[in-house]
Amino acid sequence: MSEQMLSDSMTVVATDDHLATSIECETVILQLESGTYYGLNEVASHLWDLLQEPRTVAELHDELCTTYDVSAERCRRDVESTLTNLADIDLVELEPERSV
């Protein structure tokens, strides 16, 4: 998935096909279908915690940008990159904006 395909209004949520636990400030995730383990650093762990409920890309960006001392541009790039990586390994679902 290309990062350019992400829009601020897109909704993102963690899939059910995983087991996850936190160890200190990091998260370890087992993707059940593949049997693969993934490790997330402190910032990605915070993002993962937020993904336990559906949120828009904009909400995720705003929360992380407020929490960490990082430029908005860098935060957006990192959030989109992480979401793209999580989607590629089937740990999150991306839903486009719904038309009203």
Side-chain angles (χ1 to χ4, degrees):
M1 159 167 273
S2 168
E3 291 173 34
Q4 284 70 35
M5 294 175 67
L6 297 179
S7 69
D8 282 349
S9 59
M10 185 173 282
T11 301
V12 188
V13 67
T15 65
D16 292 332
D17 189 30
H18 71 273
L19 296 174
T21 190
S22 294
I23 302 171
E24 296 183 19
C25 294
E26 298 184 354
T27 300
V28 177
I29 304 167
L30 169 61
Q31 206 281 344
L32 297 174
E33 185 176 322
S34 68
T36 305
Y37 283 93
Y38 299 95
L40 304 179
N41 66 22
E42 180 180 351
V43 177
S45 292
H46 186 166
L47 178 62
W48 180 254
D49 290 343
L50 294 171
L51 291 169
Q52 300 314 299
E53 295 183 17
R55 298 182 194 270
T56 65
V57 172
E59 290 170 333
L60 296 166
H61 170 264
D62 292 347
E63 170 67 24
L64 291 174
C65 200
T66 300
T67 303
Y68 298 97
D69 184 23
V70 63
S71 72
E73 181 180 311
R74 171 70 188 265
C75 185
R76 179 168 306 284
R77 198 170 50 242
D78 290 351
V79 166
E80 290 180 0
S81 175
T82 302
L83 292 175
T84 299
N85 289 337
L86 291 172
D88 287 345
I89 57 176
D90 297 323
L91 287 175
V92 298
E93 296 175 0
L94 303 169
E95 299 177 11
E97 177 182 20
R98 295 190 177 147
S99 301
V100 178

